[in-house]
Amino acid sequence: MRVLRLIAATILWVATQARADDTEPAWRASALAMVPAGYVAGHAYRTDGSTGTLAVDPATSNDPKTPASVFAARQALIVTLTPNATRAVSAELKPRTAPDPDNDDTDFAKVHADLAAARASLPEGTEPCDLGAWSIDKDPAGLNVRAEPSVKARVLGTLPPPYRLKLGGAENTPDGGWLTEFRIIGFKDGWFLIEGAKPPGKDYEDEKLYPRSAPKPYAGRGWVASNKVGASYANGATRMGGLFQAPFVDAKWMPAQRELGGPIDTDGGPKRILACSGLWGLVESQDGVRGWWRGLCSNQVTNCS
């Protein structure tokens, strides 16, 4: 079944690759030389007579020290074209006044607007997020949940390490044990703000058999280090097989291929989760490609589709 899913994903990746390449207008190639230093070109999303519009994002958008934000104002490269609209003549960087009506960023605008409105309820300087995740910390003492995004901050509680439930064969426990799941609601300086941690594996086992002695995580709000967090790729309704330079569907798209080609394995999860913004996670793929993926989940028994 896993092989079939990978084959299907590869077919989808090839089809999407061809479709994406076909939608780029001829003038984009010549406009690339006009992209200002410090920016990376994305999709050329509009051609209006002798004017073209090219999505651009800061080159640091996928740097975990300076991650992009879905809530920040964007810019676009406004390109003057030849009369036949095949080549770029000149270009100017200007504030982006409206999203591309043909992509689905507008479909998620309401969700992101709600998250932006909730920013006031988060600690100052926190980037609002909404992602599922789990602890990958194997320390027997558990993962510390802290009051502030700092290793010196007060410990509010802990999240259990992988839990190997033993019920005489009636359990569903994976080989590595159940991981402790939670919601990521914010990000700041290499730390995730989380809440709602659940007892490891409780949602996947027989409720009547789940032992009362099972470890109980701290379920309140607090901070955990980003290098102790993992998740699965969820179906984010974006282009498959790679990652984006910035958390937008018209940003530059980067293939994240394995040695034999094909898409990243979305049955699994990223190697690392580095930051988040809204419904997007800044990740490093298992193949070392760093970029943004829309939708991370904490389901340990499905592919989150």
Side-chain angles (χ1 to χ4, degrees):
M1 181 64 68
R2 180 183 174 88
V3 172
L4 291 176
R5 283 198 296 264
L6 286 175
I7 292 174
T10 302
I11 294 172
L12 176 61
W13 176 81
V14 172
T16 308
Q17 173 81 23
R19 190 163 58 245
D21 291 343
D22 289 344
T23 60
E24 294 294 354
W27 59 262
R28 182 181 182 276
S30 56
L32 295 180
M34 302 177 185
V35 175
Y39 287 85
V40 175
H43 177 53
Y45 63 89
R46 183 177 299 137
T47 303
D48 185 9
S50 60
T51 301
T53 308
L54 178 65
V56 294
D57 294 286
T60 57
S61 294
N62 65 343
D63 186 334
K65 295 181 180 179
T66 56
S69 171
V70 296
F71 309 104
R74 298 181 72 192
Q75 293 183 297
L77 194 68
I78 307 303
V79 184
T80 300
L81 308 174
T82 54
N84 61 0
T86 59
R87 291 188 59 80
V89 176
S90 62
E92 182 180 3
L93 196 65
K94 291 186 177 182
R96 188 163 175 170
T97 57
D100 175 11
D102 294 329
N103 74 39
D104 67 354
D105 276 338
T106 53
D107 297 338
F108 291 84
K110 177 61 168 61
V111 177
H112 283 135
D114 291 342
L115 288 174
R119 187 190 293 269
S121 67
L122 302 177
E124 184 177 358
T126 301
E127 180 76 358
C129 306
D130 185 12
L131 298 169
W134 53 57
S135 169
I136 60 173
D137 192 356
K138 297 181 180 180
D139 187 333
L143 172 61
N144 288 329
V145 182
R146 297 183 180 273
E148 303 288 343
S150 168
V151 293
K152 298 180 180 180
R154 176 169 56 95
V155 176
L156 300 173
T158 60
L159 304 181
Y163 177 52
R164 293 174 174 81
L165 183 64
K166 296 182 179 180
L167 298 174
E171 71 280 350
N172 300 310
T173 308
D175 292 340
W178 290 117
L179 305 176
T180 301
E181 302 175 8
F182 47 80
R183 298 299 300 176
I184 296 176
I185 63 171
F187 172 80
K188 183 179 181 181
D189 301 332
W191 292 76
F192 290 122
L193 181 63
I194 70 165
E195 65 181 13
K198 301 178 181 179
K202 188 173 183 179
D203 287 350
Y204 309 106
E205 300 286 357
D206 187 330
E207 185 177 356
K208 296 179 180 178
L209 299 178
Y210 192 81
R212 294 183 179 180
S213 60
K216 295 176 176 60
Y218 171 76
R221 183 176 292 190
W223 296 89
V224 295
S226 62
N227 63 352
K228 302 296 184 181
V229 174
S232 285
Y233 291 115
N235 182 356
T238 59
R239 185 179 180 185
M240 302 293 288
L243 302 170
F244 293 85
Q245 170 73 18
F248 306 101
V249 294
D250 58 18
K252 177 186 176 182
W253 184 86
M254 301 162 287
Q257 296 178 320
R258 298 188 180 282
E259 293 182 2
L260 298 179
I264 57 177
D265 181 3
T266 53
D267 280 348
K271 183 178 181 180
R272 295 192 298 165
I273 306 175
L274 304 167
C276 62
S277 180
L279 301 179
W280 293 79
L282 175 59
V283 305
E284 180 183 325
S285 77
Q286 296 294 338
D287 301 305
V289 177
R290 190 174 67 198
W292 293 87
W293 178 277
R294 187 168 64 195
L296 297 174
C297 88
S298 58
N299 195 309
Q300 297 176 59
V301 298
T302 74
N303 61 1
C304 304
S305 60

